[in-house]
Amino acid sequence: SRDIDRVNGKQMVQILRKCDVIMLLIRVFHRLYSSPVIQTMVDVAKRVEMMLRDPEESLIVLSGCGTSGRIAFLLVTSFNEMVKAPKQKQICSYIIAGGDRAMLTSQEAPEDDPALGARMLDKICAGKKHVLFVGISCGMSAPFVAGQLDFCLKHLDVFTPVLLGFNPVHMARSEPMQDCSFHFKDVAERMIAEQRHKKAFVLNPVLGAEAISGSSRMKGGSATKIILESILLAGHEAAFRGKRMVYETTYSHSDELAALIHQAGESLQMKAHVYYIGWQTLGIIGLTDASECVPTFGADFDDIRGFINNGFREMKNKEGDLSFLGPEFVIGHKDFVDTILPSLSQNDVMLFLFTVNDDLHEVTALADQVRRRTSNLHAIAHDLEKFTIPVNSVVMRQRWELSTKWCLNAISTGAHVLKGKVYMNYMIDLRVTNSKLYRRAINILQRFTGCSKGECERALLRAIYSTDDLSEDMTSADVWKHTDVANRRDQVRTRLFIFTIC
């Protein structure tokens, strides 16, 4: 994918297709289908079964930062709907660094706080005797998740911790964390030690490199969904095998995907917009993809926006209606009709996301309203005609979700590549808002300037502090202090872009 910034939409889809198929390869050591990975999934699935036998005293918690936290929310929503019973408390819960607002906007500073992660986990599990905790960190690096796993390891009488990531343990981050005596690698090694006694589990299949370097919202997010869905469905072989069919069905529409990438790219280049109008969990997929464009590509929040039927009532998130927080949190179809539709132009791309099981009268009525403003209307619509064998309705919905995720990731990524937000396959317009992005910025500078790590870090610090004369206090400060300053200085993003291409 190194030349993804030089190809057209159709070639882009083929590049993304090849990258996605790598994670589905069979009989390759430590891939998704390898024996060690499947055995660990089966072991964790048995713990899920145990939790379901005693729902009053038990809890399953999925936790992560950014994309990982958003995928956790989606999975929890679907799973609770599947197993719900009258008067029974929800068996599955989620945690996302930064709270519910992080589902729609970038909240990267909390990702660096391991103590905050531990406190949130302790609070949500109060009174439970058995907790299966899944901490998701694609790069084995998130301090927020490390703090939670460390908390679990100290209370193995209650917690069974699971680490889900996509790096070998020896590559887990070993840099110091804020106010901590341990680092992520230390936690991962302790998890491996406990796995020998079936008291903890590490799931870390190899996925191969992301199409856009460091963009774990793509393969990392997809693999998270595939693995945890399979575990939550008791590791059933048929459910896992079906993911390959979803891949084939999705990419059989490569020409249509390429056309949508071209349309969306043209819209962004003209400073117009792309709007996802989704129903049920496909609406959540749309909201997730749109929200990730801001930190990934330095996009404005209204470049690509998602809307869902019934707004936050359909989301069913813990904190309820967040629309009072600002326009980024206005997400209902009615909000779209009231605030966006009157000014919709022919340059804006409209993309409807629905299935045959949604209210098609409602879909048609809203589409008719949109057509009065623009003919630039498209849809990702799922039905049952591709499936000739009986499929459980929950499994079917999960397959539609994965297909929609792959499509939207391709569209939003391709559109931003065409807009010039990617150089080779590197994200070059990013803000240095947490330790992960701080280190990524230094690596990008090294990659394109050939300078040493120390020289690149000093260049980055000069951008953060807006001075060529760095004091000793500045150069000796902890990383999280640098990112705190960068969070308050939007210009750091632009300056990093200039340094990179020079």
Side-chain angles (χ1 to χ4, degrees), residues 31-233:
R31 297 284 188 188
L32 284 180
Y33 288 88
S34 68
S35 296
V37 173
I38 291 176
Q39 183 57 57
T40 304
M41 289 174 63
V42 170
D43 290 340
V44 178
K46 290 177 181 176
R47 298 304 192 279
V48 172
E49 185 180 356
M50 290 169 57
M51 300 292 140
L52 292 174
R53 286 202 204 106
D54 186 15
E56 290 300 317
E57 302 286 355
S58 305
L59 187 66
I60 301 167
V61 180
L62 310 184
S63 178
C65 308
T67 295
S68 299
R70 296 175 191 119
I71 295 293
F73 167 73
L74 173 67
L75 293 170
V76 165
T77 300
S78 297
F79 189 68
N80 281 335
E81 186 67 23
M82 180 177 68
V83 301
K84 70 179 180 181
K87 298 182 180 179
Q88 179 178 300
K89 292 181 179 179
Q90 293 185 335
I91 186 66
C92 202
S93 191
Y94 68 91
I95 299 173
I96 180 169
D100 281 358
R101 65 183 65 196
M103 289 192 291
L104 301 173
T105 59
S106 176
Q107 304 287 325
E108 287 159 335
E111 298 177 15
D112 281 342
D113 193 338
L116 174 62
R119 288 196 302 272
M120 291 181 72
L121 177 60
D122 187 26
K123 181 178 180 180
I124 202 174
C125 298
K128 296 296 181 181
K129 293 183 178 178
H130 311 288
V131 178
L132 177 64
F133 173 76
V134 182
I136 312 162
S137 179
C138 293
M140 302 279 224
S141 59
F144 183 86
V145 173
Q148 294 172 323
L149 292 169
D150 175 72
F151 180 82
C152 292
L153 289 168
K154 292 175 178 175
H155 301 88
L156 290 174
D157 56 322
V158 174
F159 291 88
T160 301
V162 180
L163 168 57
L164 175 59
F166 307 108
N167 268 336
V169 169
H170 74 268
M171 292 180 66
R173 182 170 292 171
S174 57
E175 288 88 351
M177 298 187 298
Q178 183 176 344
D179 300 325
C180 268
S181 59
F182 58 88
H183 46 64
F184 203 107
K185 185 179 179 182
D186 171 60
V187 173
E189 289 173 342
R190 288 157 56 202
M191 293 279 294
I192 289 290
E194 293 296 345
Q195 184 161 348
R196 300 187 187 102
H197 310 292
K198 305 288 187 182
K199 292 184 176 181
F201 300 94
V202 176
L203 267 167
N204 59 332
V206 176
L207 304 182
E210 293 281 6
I212 304 298
S213 180
S215 183
S216 57
R217 80 190 189 103
M218 301 180 77
K219 281 203 294 191
S222 299
T224 298
K225 189 176 192 300
I226 290 170
I227 290 170
L228 293 182
E229 276 177 353
S230 299
I231 288 172
L232 293 173
L233 289 169

Side-chain angles (χ1 to χ4, degrees), residues 257-270:
L257 260 180
L260 278 172
I261 287 173
H262 179 73
Q263 288 266 15
E266 281 195 336
S267 290
L268 295 187
Q269 289 174 63
M270 292 186 289

